[in-house]
Amino acid sequence: LALNSEDPNVDQLEMSNSLMEAYNLFMQALPLDSVPNEKGKIKPKYSKKIIGAIESHIKDGDFVNAGIVFYNANKRYPEAYDAFMLAAELPTQPLFEKVANLYPDTIRAIWISNAGNCAYATQHYQKAAEAYALSRQLGNVELDVFKYEIASYQNWSASDSTVGEYTQKKIFECAEDAYKIYGAADSYLFRNYINKFFLSDNFEKGVEVINSEISKNPTNGELYQLLGLFYENAEKDDLAVQNYLKAAEISDNYEILKDVSRKIYNFGANKLQSIIGDSPEATIQRNEIKVKYFENALKIAEKAKGVNTQNDPSIDSIIETINYGLETFF
């Protein structure tokens, strides 16, 4: 019976287990069938039959079907993972020449990404990352493949402190490939790409890339937020604030507004500490700080509160802090 048989009497899970067990036994038997006899000659008796049986299962898509059966039975790793990987890899092996190139790379890439999904769902992040990377090598450029590959590296490094340098390098490579296709369209991928320049203190390149994206999409507030972050890291405070204010002006994103309001308030509080005395000049400076930093921070925080669909209480704390600063310092 074929694995995808519609016969209700066929236990698909049992058939899938039998297929994988048989494959493993076959692969153990093949080398033994090529052991030289007492005269030093090799006379295989069963190899042709074994290879033909495996080729038949490849042709019928039984390994893919097994992967689906295992997945639906919540046996995602290693059973489903192994089945999907075999489905993709076996047709490329010289041993099975009759089914060589039977499935195009585009199809095999999907099967491998399915294997990645199985590994990711069961927290086998190294296996997941390797599967997604292999899927991309075969031409899979789906957005989620890039995102889950990066997330796999991040989770892997979080659980193993020895692989941080390697996973960071792979994240950069994946994010760069994603940027070539998607630009700044996806926030998660773009931030991982930009992070390369931020962590390496490559200020000029980071600013160049962000400004290039701003020229294409000048109403994307997140780009100005990122630009402000680069200027802040480079201690160019005025340019940082200028871009944070621009981000808040054009964005209705709660997280952006909350972050920007906090940052602008902190800039103002720090600048206030450098003003000493009650001279007319000091009074003017304090008033400028009040308007530019404290009052702007409050307006942005209140705007954030207005779009706070998540009912996040932290914005109330930020507003309270800003109001306390206004009352205390001015």
Side-chain angles (χ1 to χ4, degrees), residues 5-20:
S5 171
E6 296 181 1
D7 187 338
N9 296 315
V10 174
D11 186 326
Q12 295 290 315
L13 183 57
E14 182 181 348
M15 290 284 287
S16 298
N17 282 319
S18 296
L19 172 68
M20 298 301 288

Side-chain angles (χ1 to χ4, degrees), residues 257-271:
L257 294 169
K258 182 177 73 170
D259 177 67
V260 166
S261 65
R262 186 192 295 114
K263 284 182 177 294
I264 291 177
Y265 170 79
N266 289 335
F267 273 117
N270 290 333
K271 285 185 175 294

Side-chain angles (χ1 to χ4, degrees), residues 190 193-212 214 223-244 267:
F190 184 65
Y193 174 60
I194 284 296
N195 196 39
K196 174 180 181 178
F197 309 116
F198 190 83
L199 294 178
S200 63
D201 288 326
N202 193 341
F203 169 79
E204 291 79 9
K205 181 61 176 178
V207 169
E208 176 189 336
V209 171
I210 297 171
N211 276 324
S212 173
I214 287 176
L223 295 174
Y224 292 97
Q225 179 197 24
L226 287 171
L227 193 56
L229 186 62
F230 269 82
Y231 281 125
E232 181 180 352
N233 191 54
E235 299 182 351
K236 299 177 182 291
D237 294 356
D238 288 341
L239 287 171
V241 170
Q242 175 183 322
N243 281 282
Y244 286 145
F267 273 117

